[in-house]
Amino acid sequence: MTREVPVPTIPTTRPRKTGPSAGPPSRRALLRGLGGAALAAPLASCGFLPADRSDTLTFMFWGSIQEEAGVRAVSENFSRQPGGREVDPELVSHFSYQTKMNTLIAARQEPDIAYLQMGMSMRLGEGGLLVNMLDHRDRFPQLDDFLPEAVHYWNDEAAVFQTAIEVMSIWYNTELFDAAGLPAPPSRSPDAWTWDEFVATAERLTLDHEGRRPTEPGFDPDQVRQFGTLAPTWSSVPLYALLRGNGADLFDEAGTRCVVDSAAAVEVFTAVSDLIYEHRVAPSPTELASFNSGLSLMLRSGRVAMAIDGYWNLLDLSAADFPYGVGVMPRFGDEPLTTITSGATGVFRRGRHQEQAVEFYLQMADPELCPLYAQGLWMPLQRRYYTDPDLLALWSDTDIHPPNFVDSVVEPLLNHAVQEPTYRIRESAQVFSRLDPALDPIWLGHVRGRDEIARHLRAVTERVTPYLQGVYPDVRREA
């Protein structure tokens, strides 16, 4: 959590809507997984190695069509600047991204700059393959203005920076709340729902094919036409905020033991499971897969009334042509917490244009130059875009941002946020590849009820702990 930071008020200069806007859908989640470099060598002849591009700045990234358009806009602008260098942006499918990156590393032909999965960025930095961004602060003093949560130290002297800022909030369909006669989710952290209030609201919003609620006689859980919410089962992001808010964690401070078996963690896992199997207000993973649509379409169609999810959904919501809103996360304990997440952007030490790669990164991180901030995909990395009213308005006072956006999203980011653990935990991709499948029996309903879940989580702890190898220094928060 950060110390209390005052959030400026943006004067309202025009009517604002939360409806349609141009732009196709974006990707749902950040790239996960970790491939071994040893797997890359046999693939070196499979078309993954680039031709000689020594005169250009090479940038490899993953993302949606809209994200690609934003990257290319910044690239073209950078290339046209006096003394600028042509940028060659290469969009790679997230399904093959890790394989291609490992192939390039094995062949010593990395791009100048690239998106990186969280754990991989720390491993490559510690292994000497990435530029220490902190070494460029004299040349680019704006690096000193980055939020501390966006700077991840792989040792006491060197760090990698995030690509953007993303946080968790409640996104909802305002018409469904109005139809149920319910007030909107709270927009201020001091007013955040307790978990019981969140569940009670979800019960009022859940309807079967006959319009009955789960608390009413005759409710048919097999014929639900509108679910109140989605279960926040993503362990390192929305679930992590709930755990931390209840005094629990996934791992101990030293990163040597999995601690999902604590009483406080069991309470949270049970509560999230109960959304599906006890209260019947959220679809099971099997039901959710059958919807075959992203959050914006589920909210627009009325299949789901509200959900805890990331800021990046605003890009899709703004194109979906229905009235939506945003509220603060519910809380366990006294403080409602949100989670900060995002992959990293790394500059490779073997690249020929290191300083220009850092400069290009800073232009991608500039809401005045990159359209992806105002379009609702990214939140800024630099503090001044949150504390200066004019700069805050530049990217958040738009037709697509709900009127209460600053209270619901910006203030929790600055004052009630925890960093997801995937940068801090060593070999986090390997660790989560063991943890998440081990939690699946809870989400699939094979393990139900507090006692059974507690027994299962003790087994999960024993299974995951041997893969933990300690922590990186990671984020340095201000006193």
Side-chain angles (χ1 to χ4, degrees):
M1 286 164 280
T2 60
R3 63 182 176 84
E4 197 76 12
V5 177
V7 181
T9 300
I10 302 175
T12 301
T13 57
R14 63 179 183 275
R16 306 188 36 212
K17 64 190 177 87
T18 51
S21 175
S26 72
R27 69 215 188 322
R28 158 64 178 85
L30 302 171
L31 179 63
R32 301 264 180 209
L34 178 63
L39 298 176
L43 297 169
S45 61
C46 297
F48 280 155
L49 299 185
D52 180 26
R53 295 176 293 182
S54 57
D55 291 335
T56 64
L57 182 69
T58 56
F59 177 42
M60 196 168 95
F61 66 103
W62 68 80
S64 65
I65 296 174
Q66 186 75 5
E67 188 163 355
E68 181 184 21
V71 168
R72 292 193 179 279
V74 177
S75 300
E76 291 171 6
N77 180 66
F78 186 84
S79 301
R80 289 194 299 265
Q81 294 173 0
R85 184 176 296 276
E86 181 182 353
V87 179
D88 183 6
E90 181 181 6
L91 176 66
V92 177
S93 166
H94 72 274
F95 295 110
S96 59
Y97 195 91
Q98 293 293 93
T99 300
K100 176 158 187 174
M101 180 59 72
N102 285 325
T103 300
L104 295 174
I105 291 171
R108 302 175 65 87
Q109 295 190 35
E110 306 95 333
D112 292 297
I113 180 172
Y115 285 4
L116 294 170
Q117 177 265 347
M118 295 92 153
M120 187 182 198
S121 70
M122 303 296 271
R123 181 170 60 82
L124 294 179
E126 186 177 47
L129 292 178
L130 297 184
V131 167
N132 175 15
M133 297 289 282
L134 302 176
D135 289 342
H136 291 267
R137 288 179 294 182
D138 289 341
R139 173 70 175 83
F140 303 107
Q142 58 265 51
L143 289 168
D144 283 326
D145 188 45
F146 276 52
L147 293 172
E149 292 83 1
V151 182
H152 302 275
Y153 288 78
W154 66 73
N155 63 37
D156 291 337
E157 305 280 334
V160 68
F161 284 42
Q162 287 185 190
T163 301
I165 295 287
E166 307 281 4
V167 295
M168 298 291 113
S169 308
I170 295 178
W171 297 95
Y172 61 94
N173 183 322
T174 62
E175 289 180 338
L176 301 183
F177 273 78
D178 292 343
L182 292 171
S187 61
R188 299 175 62 253
S189 295
D191 304 325
W193 281 328
T194 65
W195 186 257
D196 287 344
E197 290 170 333
F198 173 69
V199 172
T201 303
E203 288 176 337
R204 292 282 304 277
L205 292 164
T206 300
L207 303 170
D208 70 7
H209 66 298
E210 295 290 343
R212 294 177 293 243
R213 297 184 172 92
T215 55
E216 296 174 345
F219 174 78
D220 186 352
D222 296 321
Q223 297 290 330
V224 177
R225 64 176 172 86
Q226 176 179 300
F227 285 97
T229 190
L230 300 177
T233 60
W234 187 0
S235 64
S236 65
V237 189
L239 183 65
Y240 190 66
L242 299 174
L243 287 167
R244 291 291 300 276
N246 203 39
D249 209 320
L250 296 173
F251 315 105
D252 67 4
E253 190 65 25
T256 57
R257 186 177 186 276
C258 178
V259 293
V260 295
D261 59 340
S262 71
V266 170
E267 181 181 10
V268 174
F269 279 101
T270 303
V272 173
S273 171
D274 283 351
L275 290 176
I276 305 171
Y277 302 108
E278 177 67 22
H279 303 293
R280 306 286 185 173
V281 298
S284 69
T286 303
E287 290 172 313
L288 185 59
S290 72
F291 295 170
N292 194 32
S293 60
L295 177 62
S296 64
L297 295 181
M298 286 189 282
L299 291 176
R300 185 183 69 176
S301 67
R303 292 296 279 137
V304 175
M306 63 175 173
I308 297 171
D309 215 317
Y311 171 78
W312 60 84
N313 285 284
L314 183 56
L315 180 66
D316 293 353
L317 290 167
S318 67
D321 193 18
F322 76 98
Y324 55 85
V326 65
V328 296
M329 292 262 296
R331 59 183 170 87
F332 273 91
D334 295 330
E335 184 180 9
L337 296 179
T338 187
T339 310
I340 298 172
T341 184
S342 170
T345 295
V347 175
F348 282 89
R349 290 184 63 185
R350 286 197 284 247
R352 302 186 185 189
H353 316 294
Q354 293 180 15
E355 187 168 288
Q356 286 182 308
V358 175
E359 185 176 7
F360 176 73
Y361 166 74
L362 288 170
Q363 294 200 11
M364 286 294 301
D366 189 340
E368 297 181 62
L369 297 174
C370 180
L372 298 175
Y373 298 91
Q375 290 172 356
L377 182 64
W378 292 349
M379 295 175 65
L381 293 150
Q382 297 173 59
R383 180 181 298 277
R384 65 179 181 270
Y385 285 98
Y386 298 98
T387 57
D388 181 301
D390 292 334
L391 294 179
L392 176 61
L394 178 74
W395 65 275
S396 68
D397 187 21
T398 74
D399 287 347
I400 69 170
H401 289 78
N404 63 329
F405 176 80
V406 171
D407 285 339
S408 295
V409 182
V410 173
E411 191 278 335
L413 162 65
L414 297 178
N415 297 310
H416 305 284
V418 293
Q419 177 69 48
E420 74 160 303
T422 45
Y423 285 99
R424 185 174 68 91
I425 297 297
R426 289 181 173 272
E427 300 294 345
S428 59
Q430 181 184 44
V431 171
F432 279 94
S433 73
R434 269 70 183 182
L435 175 62
D436 288 335
L439 297 175
D440 282 346
I442 298 175
W443 312 136
L444 292 169
H446 304 324
V447 178
R448 301 186 192 181
R450 183 184 297 266
D451 292 344
E452 285 192 21
I453 289 174
R455 282 193 294 270
H456 181 77
L457 290 174
R458 286 194 291 271
V460 171
T461 293
E462 294 175 359
R463 175 178 175 179
V464 174
T465 292
Y467 294 94
L468 288 164
Q469 302 177 36
V471 296
Y472 294 104
D474 198 23
V475 170
R476 289 181 181 171
R477 290 179 174 82
E478 299 175 347

